[in-house]
Each structure stands twice: as C-alpha cells, then as structure tokens.
Amino acid sequence: MRPLIGTSWKMNLTATEAAGWLDAFVPLVEHLTDRDLFVLPAFPAIFAAQARLTGTTVGWGAQDVHPEDAGAHTGDVCAEMLRDLGCTYVEVGHAERRRDHGETPAVINAKVAAVFRWGMTPILCVGEAWPAGPEAAVEVVLGDLEACLAGTTADQLGRTIVAYEPAWAIGEGARAATPSEIGIVHRGVHAWLCDRAGGRGARVIYGGSVDEDVAPRILAEPGVDGLFVGRRALDPRHFARIASTCIDAD
Ligand code: PGA
C-alpha cells in the first residue's frame, strides 16, 4: 500500500498565496516517488493547484462538495465542477463541517456517492468527539462508517480513503492521539473495510495535530497508511518535512 500524505488548508490561503505555497513546495518533494501526496485548497484556489501541480507528483482536490449534480443551490459547488478542475480527491464529513453546517451521516453518504459518480476519490473523515479510549473510538467510528458508506459497492469501498480524525485532537491547543491509540482504531477500520471490500485495501490515514515530531511515530504504527495535516502544513517547508518522513517498506 503506497503511503498517502496530504493537507487541507481549510479556510486559509488566497489563490495568490496558494500559488506561492505551491511554488515553494513542489521542488521540495519532487523526488518522493514512493508515496502519494495531495493538497486540498479552498475552492477559489483549486485552479491555482491545477495550474501548478499538473505534471507533478502531487495531487489536488477539494474540501467539500454538494451531493447533487447541479441546480438551485446558491453558493454550493458540485462534483462535476471539481472534476473539471482536475481534482482527484474530495474530502467529506470533516468534523468542522459537521459542527458548522450540521452535516449528518445521510448528507455525507450522499456526498460520497457524488464523488464516486464523478470518478473521484472520497476522503471520508470520521472520529469521536471526546477522548474515551480507543475501544470506544472504534465503536463510534465503525457506526459512522456504516452510515456514511451505506450503499457503497465493494469496489468503491476498496478505493475509499478513510481519515481517522478524533475531533478532540484537531486544531489549536489540541494534541495528537498517541500512536498506539491511533493504531487500534486504524486496525479496527481496516478489519471493517476488509470484511466489506473483500480484502481489498482502502487506505486509512490519521489527522489531528500532526507535525514533524509525531509524524514518524504515527506512520510507523501498523494500520496507519498516511497522514492528513492541518495547520502545520500552512508553511510549505514544514509540510515538505512531514511529507518526507522516512517510511519503512512493509
Ligand atoms: P490540525 O487539523 O492538523 O490543524 O489539527 C487536522 C485536520 O483537521 O485534519
């Protein structure tokens, strides 16, 4: 399984700033051919990612999508528009969207379907709200996966990226979950996916206060297939260091 390391810039970086970020970042990671990298700019900066990343080893995508394909949904963006900008990844169900926009598992499920309909890869974010131990986290996460991935075919499940992001580990002042906590949840997710995807390997990546210090220890944990980085990646040199983390081949 190729490791996958990406960032969502959330509501940061204008298109102009994004272009500068990408110009600084790409030369630092061009030599990394044993892993997949991606960036998820805000909607207005996706075209800058397309312009700067076409022909490089770095993929790009969006942080959200509307479940429907077109119509009277002022301010929203549909999957076809993202596909047209060369997006390969679309994040759905982030804790901040659930919090700020009241997104339910049913809405997230419809967004996953839209992403597949347009030939892109969903990055589905799941995670418990409060720290109550990894076993409790597995229960919450698997229940959420059941709902958010309802109706998804085995083939689609095998292509889904699950981002385990405990809400309590995300953002300013938070700390990352420990590698052993993360490993327990990831292995639980893998077992669930294997049951339903006939053993085909979807990737399970971790997000929540990832920085250069914790990245190697988290990536070394069995069941962790990659990292999803927020605020630490707003500086391209920091993200390049995380993206360059030494990874032992399995
Ligand atoms: P953070 O965000 O790295 O700033 O904690 C992580 C995320 O929300 O994916």
Side-chain angles (χ1 to χ4, degrees):
M1 197 117 64
R2 281 168 70 82
L4 177 68
I5 302 177
T7 174
S8 161
W9 295 335
K10 306 192 180 186
M11 198 172 69
N12 297 293
L13 303 187
T14 63
T16 307
E17 290 165 341
W21 189 104
L22 293 162
D23 286 344
F25 178 68
V26 171
L28 300 176
V29 298
E30 258 170 344
H31 61 287
L32 297 171
T33 52
D34 63 343
R35 61 199 69 192
D36 296 325
L37 305 177
F38 69 84
V39 298
L40 308 182
F43 289 135
I46 293 176
F47 81 93
Q50 182 182 35
R52 295 297 202 281
L53 296 177
T54 299
T56 74
T57 54
V58 183
W60 65 96
Q63 301 171 17
D64 183 43
V65 66
H66 192 278
E68 291 180 26
D69 287 344
H73 299 288
T74 302
D76 279 315
V77 170
C78 67
E80 185 179 11
M81 295 169 180
L82 300 176
R83 179 71 263 178
D84 183 59
L85 286 173
C87 292
T88 49
Y89 301 101
V90 183
E91 180 180 10
V92 290
H94 190 276
E96 287 151 14
R97 291 211 57 87
R98 297 184 198 232
R99 181 196 68 199
D100 296 349
H101 301 274
E103 287 191 9
T104 61
V107 169
I108 295 164
N109 180 242
K111 292 184 175 197
V112 168
V115 175
F116 278 127
R117 217 166 34 247
W118 289 94
M120 296 177 287
T121 300
I123 301 173
L124 171 60
C125 302
V126 291
E128 76 283 10
W130 308 107
E135 284 77 17
V138 171
E139 218 175 294
V140 171
V141 163
L142 297 190
D144 203 33
L145 288 178
E146 289 282 359
C148 294
L149 294 174
T152 306
T153 66
D155 177 62
Q156 290 170 336
L157 276 180
R159 289 186 281 122
T160 299
I161 294 162
V162 175
Y164 171 52
E165 302 211 332
W168 53 266
I170 295 172
E172 212 55 61
R175 63 155 182 91
T178 65
S180 70
E181 289 169 331
I182 295 167
I184 291 169
V185 178
H186 280 226
R187 292 190 290 277
V189 172
H190 271 298
W192 185 93
L193 286 163
C194 268
D195 267 2
R196 284 156 185 80
R200 292 226 8 245
R203 287 183 284 192
V204 184
I205 64 177
Y206 169 80
S209 298
V210 172
D211 61 17
E212 301 90 310
D213 290 339
V214 296
R217 284 182 285 124
I218 295 175
L219 276 173
E221 186 69 25
V224 176
D225 306 311
L227 299 170
F228 199 7
V229 188
R231 60 201 186 285
R232 190 66 184 163
L234 290 173
D235 181 323
R237 288 158 307 174
H238 293 159
F239 185 53
R241 279 208 289 276
I242 295 170
S244 308
T245 303
C246 182
I247 299 170
D248 287 338
D250 286 330

